[in-house]
Amino acid sequence: MDEAQTKRFQRFYGLSAVCRSPHRREDELLLAAASELDALRGQEDRVRYVIQARTFVSSSPDPTSSLRRVAEELGLRRAAVLSVTQQACASGMQAVDTARTLLAADGDPEALALVLTGEKTFTPAARGVPRSNIGGEGAAAVLVRLGGAQDGDRILGHACRTHGRFYDDVITGEESPAEFNKAYTGALAEVMRAACEEAGISFDDIDLVIPHNVNTISWRGVSGEVGIPMERIFLDNIPVTGHCFAADPFINYGTAAERGLLRPGAHYLLTAVGLGATFSAMVVQH
């Protein structure tokens, strides 16, 4: 980037640093996240599905499956391995919802699904979207089961909308289409409302919005649209991680938990937007 672009990302978009690990492979990145799941240890035989949420069809020049290597390394011998990718950076919540659907059809109340998110920025297109964000290399892991475990977080509502007219990759060009920019705030606000309605709550009941890490400036518009003040939107990771694709809301949720910002019984609204364009939101009770 030239000096003017760098200043724009720092002053207006709120970025300072971006997480990158040039010598770490994608499977190592995902394994590092999965190793933080204490609830997975000793439960490996209960895992029926390993689902990777991807923004890109492939984020490695290696034609072999990094996801299969991860499953083998974790000892998940009984698990079917698959990925979801068509919703780009919104694929993370779709993967969780897919896990929920598969577990419901499985018929085993003790079955688990492991959702993994996080990718390498190994191509120029993966390293950033002009006038929008810079891609980072971070990963997150989520263990899913049915029945609302008492020792876990409960999903109360989920909404997803794809606005197919924005399919064209011109969105990633130097000039972002004015039509997409104009529709962005309203489209994201709509799925946020829909997720809250499914959960049977209002925005007033949301303790904290846990967003995707695109940039800070876009959230000012969303804040005004939905009436949630900026101090109730968790933006602390944007300056230090960059946009880690579908992993963003889960990384942010983990950071908020580590800082003691999540209260038992309180409601949190996770959001994500994927180029293409898919808008997604999920209400979680801690």
Side-chain angles (χ1 to χ4, degrees):
M1 295 187 295
D2 60 30
E3 185 177 356
Q5 290 172 318
T6 302
K7 288 182 178 178
R8 182 191 305 131
F9 275 103
Q10 291 175 332
R11 294 180 181 177
F12 298 105
Y13 295 169
L15 275 74
S16 176
V18 176
C19 288
R20 295 278 172 82
S21 184
H23 303 298
R24 178 176 282 184
R25 302 190 311 266
E26 182 179 275
D27 59 322
E28 295 173 323
L29 193 69
L30 298 176
L31 279 169
S35 68
E36 298 292 327
L37 279 175
D38 293 337
L40 180 60
R41 298 188 184 99
Q43 307 297 322
E44 289 83 359
D45 286 344
R46 292 173 57 192
V47 177
R48 298 290 186 271
Y49 306 97
V50 178
I51 307 172
Q52 185 181 10
R54 305 187 61 85
T55 293
F56 303 98
V57 175
S58 176
S59 64
S60 169
D62 185 351
T64 61
S65 170
S66 62
L67 185 59
R68 192 169 299 281
R69 288 200 299 268
V70 170
E72 292 173 355
E73 186 72 21
L74 292 173
L76 307 180
R77 303 171 188 85
R78 302 182 63 187
V81 176
L82 64 146
S83 63
V84 295
T85 182
Q86 291 300 310
Q87 295 178 338
C89 294
S91 294
M93 292 183 211
Q94 182 58 38
V96 171
D97 195 60
T98 299
R100 183 167 57 170
T101 301
L102 290 170
L103 290 172
D106 189 85
D108 180 359
E110 298 301 316
L112 302 171
L114 176 64
V115 173
L116 298 169
T117 62
E119 296 168 68
K120 298 289 292 180
T121 56
F122 84 111
T123 66
R127 293 182 188 124
V129 177
R131 301 179 184 271
S132 177
N133 65 77
I134 302 295
E137 295 178 351
V142 180
L143 199 60
V144 182
R145 62 160 293 181
L146 296 180
Q150 292 182 351
D151 58 346
D153 302 294
R154 299 177 62 222
I155 298 171
L156 303 182
H158 174 231
C160 182
R161 308 281 188 272
T162 297
H163 297 252
R165 68 186 185 277
F166 299 120
Y167 76 94
D168 199 300
D169 64 359
V170 70
I171 293 173
T172 64
E174 181 62 26
E175 296 294 335
S176 296
E179 185 182 1
F180 177 75
N181 292 339
K182 184 177 180 180
Y184 180 94
T185 298
L188 183 52
E190 191 272 328
V191 294
M192 292 169 66
R193 289 191 184 95
C196 287
E197 288 174 4
E198 184 176 295
I201 63 173
S202 69
F203 287 142
D204 290 337
D205 300 309
I206 297 295
D207 258 31
L208 199 63
V209 176
I210 310 289
H212 50 292
N213 294 340
V214 176
N215 56 58
T216 57
I217 195 170
S218 62
W219 280 102
R220 296 193 185 106
V222 177
S223 172
E225 178 75 17
V226 300
I228 297 178
M230 289 291 287
E231 55 266 26
R232 284 170 54 200
I233 302 175
F234 186 82
L235 302 174
D236 294 16
N237 278 340
I238 290 179
V240 294
T241 65
H243 175 38
C244 298
F245 309 108
D248 276 350
F250 306 110
I251 290 174
N252 291 341
Y253 195 84
T255 301
E258 290 170 359
R259 295 183 182 177
L261 300 179
L262 307 185
R263 298 185 300 110
H267 300 95
Y268 300 90
L269 183 59
L270 281 64
T271 69
V273 178
L275 291 179
T278 299
F279 296 79
S280 185
M282 181 175 284
V283 175
V284 174
Q285 186 178 34
H286 187 54

